[in-house]
């Protein structure tokens, strides 16, 4: 592992909206990146969905948490916290006390930069080639830390107005304010949980058409969700079979977490795995390439 | 103090301006919402509203703050060999950054360096062709 990595990269999977698939996408992205290099998957979401989903309930309940490493009075080291998994990547687990860490970070000097200076700077390019952060669904110091530490974001988005609202909040409250201080690259915007046809006026169609036609987002859509305006016309004229863009709703994706596994390990033949591979490509090369 | 949640990153001392960052970000119909028209509008509105805030962060001298906002940036992947990147990063670290420091510029951004690189390359297209031919 870790042979062909030219540019180590840290990335945050973020959207200020729950239930869009942050944990699923970040975990499976980490899993596919582990085929290319050494990966740390960091769960910064206090709900611990990914940590518990991978079977690390004990770590989630542990007395040692992130705060013991990144806060001034901390007595633990990263090695006390990071756990190996059976899935080729290491895990920096969430904890049920992470919300307290959030409060302490708010009072700390340069509190937004703690994860960068204490975790990412010492580890990235040295012990790991890629670090993937699963972020909370609400704004706060943990999200700020992830953004400052990575400078790269992957934004999952699902059909429906509440998800699009979450995307807007993410830009307004997180990414644009951060850009007053640091460069933040949106590597890709990932349509997730797609299940309806796009040759009819569904919310799925609306999301995909908007993302694919807006100047600011069209370049960020992965190839597996890319449909040009001409292709939409051809689909509507019945000249072209409607494709199945985006990460599709699959029972195996939600089930895999119940069985404490990434999709690659739970169902290696699943038809959505190539999409997660493409996301890993995008992170490895630093953006969508057409 | 502004309401920008990232203000702890800068040394904000003398900012009492009423039009602070989060107000402008929150009130204008910002962000590249995935609908056809609003996306580019959003970027522009951010550009204009972000201008005065830059002073608050690091207003040491006239040249502080990047020459252009991040919102003007268009990301494109660049493909080059590892050793070329190394050489480039060394050149930036050994020559470009120290030159900037001598000129009193301490807050150069990646986007400014990349922009300058492309402008330099665009000025010498013949040289680019020569380099490629000589490599073959």
């Amino acid at each position: 592992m870790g042979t062909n990595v030219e540019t180590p990269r840290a990335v945050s999977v973020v959207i200020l909206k729950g239930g869009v698939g942050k944990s699923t996408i970040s975990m499976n992205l980490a899993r596919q990146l582990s085929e290319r290099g050494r990966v740390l998957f960091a769960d910064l979401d206090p709900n611990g969905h990914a940590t518990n989903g991978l079977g690390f309930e004990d770590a989630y309940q542990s007395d040692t948490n992130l705060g013991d490493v990144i806060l001034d009075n901390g007595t633990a080291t990263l090695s006390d916290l990071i756990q190996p998994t059976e899935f080729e990547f290491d895990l920096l687990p969430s904890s049920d006390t992470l919300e307290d860490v959030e409060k302490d970070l708010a009072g700390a000097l340069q509190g937004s930069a703690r994860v960068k200076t204490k975790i990412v700077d010492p580890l990235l390019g040295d012990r790991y080639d890629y670090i993937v952060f699963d972020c909370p669904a609400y704004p706060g110091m943990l999200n700020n830390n992830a953004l400052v530490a990575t400078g790269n974001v992957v934004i999952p988005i699902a059909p429906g107005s509440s998800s699009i609202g979450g995307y807007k909040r993410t830009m307004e409250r997180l990414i644009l304010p951060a850009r007053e201080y640091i460069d933040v690259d949106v590597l890709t915007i990932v349509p997730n949980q797609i299940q309806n046809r796009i040759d009819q006026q569904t919310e799925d169609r609306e999301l995909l058409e908007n993302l694919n036609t807006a100047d600011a987002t069209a370049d960020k859509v992965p190839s597996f969700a890319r449909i040009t305006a001409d292709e939409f016309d051809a689909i509507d004229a019945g000249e072209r079979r409607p494709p199945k863009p985006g990460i599709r709703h699959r029972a195996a994706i939600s089930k895999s977490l119940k069985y404490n596994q990434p999709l690659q390990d739970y169902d290696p033949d699943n038809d959505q795995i190539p999409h997660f591979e493409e996301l890993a490509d995008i992170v490895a090369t630093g953006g969508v390439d057409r | 103090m502004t309401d920008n949640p990232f203000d702890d990153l800068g040394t904000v001392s003398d900012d009492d301006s009423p039009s602070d960052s989060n107000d402008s970000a929150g009130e204008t119909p910002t962000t590249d919402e995935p609908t056809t028209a609003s996306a580019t509008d959003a970027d522009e509105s951010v550009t204009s509203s972000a201008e005065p805030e830059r002073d608050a962060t690091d207003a040491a001298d006239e040249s502080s703050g990047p020459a252009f906002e991040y919102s003007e940036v268009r990301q494109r992947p660049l493909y080059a060999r590892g050793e070329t990147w190394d050489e480039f990063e060394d050149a930036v670290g050994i020559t470009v950054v120290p030159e900037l420091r001598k000129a009193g510029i301490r807050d150069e951004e990646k986007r400014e360096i990349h922009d300058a690189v492309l402008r330099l390359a665009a000025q010498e297209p013949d040289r680019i062709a020569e380099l490629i031919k000589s490599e073959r």
Side-chain angles (χ1 to χ4, degrees):
Chain A
M1 290 293 154
T3 44
N4 270 328
V5 176
E6 283 186 358
T7 310
R9 192 166 277 118
V11 61
S12 301
V13 178
V14 62
I15 182 170
L16 297 178
K17 164 85 179 76
V20 177
K22 276 185 296 291
S23 296
T24 305
I25 287 181
S26 55
M27 179 198 305
N28 286 298
L29 170 62
R31 177 65 182 88
Q32 297 307 330
L33 280 169
S34 71
E35 304 283 315
R36 294 145 211 272
R38 301 159 300 167
V39 175
L40 176 67
F41 175 47
D43 187 359
L44 283 193
D45 189 347
N47 78 17
H49 194 51
T51 299
N52 289 306
L54 285 167
F56 286 80
E57 291 91 350
D58 289 348
Y60 185 67
Q61 308 285 346
S62 163
D63 289 336
T64 307
N65 69 22
L66 186 73
D68 298 314
V69 176
I70 65 174
L71 291 169
D72 293 326
N73 53 0
T75 51
T77 66
L78 277 168
S79 311
D80 297 330
L81 217 57
I82 292 174
Q83 314 263 342
T85 74
E86 295 163 33
F87 312 112
E88 312 291 332
F89 58 79
D90 288 350
L91 171 71
L92 188 130
S94 172
S95 122
D96 58 358
T97 50
L98 212 48
E99 276 168 357
D100 299 336
V101 178
E102 177 119 50
K103 288 186 199 107
D104 293 336
L105 280 169
L109 191 67
Q110 294 253 316
S112 296
R114 292 299 175 104
V115 170
K116 174 177 164 57
T117 53
K118 305 277 187 178
I119 297 178
V120 171
D121 287 348
L123 294 181
L124 187 67
D126 188 8
R127 194 161 141 198
Y128 298 105
D129 301 306
Y130 302 107
I131 303 181
V132 179
F133 286 91
D134 186 9
C135 297
Y138 57 87
M141 291 304 280
L142 291 168
N143 252 315
N144 296 354
N145 265 276
L147 218 59
V148 171
T150 62
N152 293 297
V153 298
V154 167
I155 304 179
I157 190 166
S161 58
S162 67
S163 177
I164 290 169
Y167 171 78
K168 288 171 67 178
R169 279 197 299 281
T170 308
M171 297 304 293
E172 283 168 11
R173 297 191 193 171
L174 212 53
I175 292 175
L176 296 179
R179 279 180 177 165
E180 287 176 32
Y181 292 99
I182 54 166
D183 282 352
V184 180
D185 290 346
V186 176
L187 300 184
T188 182
I189 301 171
V190 188
N192 188 31
Q193 298 170 351
I194 310 289
Q195 50 186 333
N196 293 316
R197 301 171 64 107
I198 58 155
D199 55 343
Q200 297 166 359
Q201 287 305 325
T202 59
E203 284 187 329
D204 300 37
R205 155 86 182 226
E206 197 186 339
L207 173 68
L208 284 156
E209 189 160 18
N210 286 339
L211 282 178
N212 272 298
T213 52
D215 288 343
T217 54
D219 285 347
K220 311 284 185 198
V221 178
S223 305
F224 63 76
R226 179 71 181 139
I227 302 170
T228 63
D230 288 346
E231 285 167 341
F232 269 115
D233 289 343
I235 292 163
D236 291 340
E239 294 157 6
R240 191 189 159 96
R241 267 186 64 220
K244 296 198 163 171
I247 293 179
R248 314 293 297 183
H249 181 81
R250 292 284 181 268
I253 295 181
S254 38
K255 262 197 199 161
S256 61
L257 271 190
K258 290 199 186 82
Y259 291 90
N260 299 335
Q261 287 178 333
L263 188 63
Q264 175 73 50
D265 305 272
Y266 175 74
D267 180 11
D269 299 323
N270 193 279
D271 66 348
Q272 300 302 298
I273 284 177
H275 298 347
F276 291 111
E277 285 169 351
E278 187 183 328
L279 292 184
D281 270 333
I282 289 169
V283 170
T285 52
V288 172
D289 165 41
R290 295 216 209 284
Chain B
M1 281 291 285
T2 68
D3 289 336
N4 188 322
F6 293 89
D7 280 341
D8 61 328
L9 295 175
T11 44
V12 185
S13 52
D14 54 353
D15 177 45
D16 294 313
S17 73
S19 66
D20 61 30
S21 60
N22 237 23
D23 286 355
S24 48
E27 283 160 17
T28 43
T30 51
T31 69
D32 25 16
E33 173 187 8
T35 48
T36 343
S38 66
T40 37
D41 301 348
D43 276 354
E44 278 154 22
S45 73
V46 169
T47 312
S48 52
S49 69
E51 211 84 49
E53 295 139 27
R54 184 58 68 179
D55 307 337
T57 65
D58 198 5
D61 60 78
E62 289 299 298
S63 60
S64 101
F68 54 92
E69 291 297 322
Y70 187 89
S71 50
E72 292 173 49
V73 164
R74 194 188 319 155
Q75 277 176 247
R76 288 273 185 272
L78 279 174
Y79 297 92
R81 286 171 296 182
E83 62 260 35
T84 312
W85 280 115
D86 291 345
E87 230 174 282
F88 168 63
E89 277 158 14
D90 287 351
V92 169
I94 295 167
T95 310
V96 178
V97 171
E99 277 299 317
L100 293 173
R101 289 292 179 279
K102 276 184 224 158
I105 297 171
R106 310 184 49 82
D107 55 356
E108 77 283 344
E109 294 280 355
K110 196 165 63 171
R111 60 177 178 273
E112 293 179 282
I113 295 172
H114 289 172
D115 192 76
V117 166
L118 287 182
R119 277 186 288 136
L120 181 65
Q123 282 168 16
E124 303 227 23
D126 299 339
R127 182 86 184 104
I128 296 176
E130 270 171 34
L131 282 172
I132 296 168
K133 280 188 280 181
S134 70
E135 276 281 292
R136 292 234 167 172

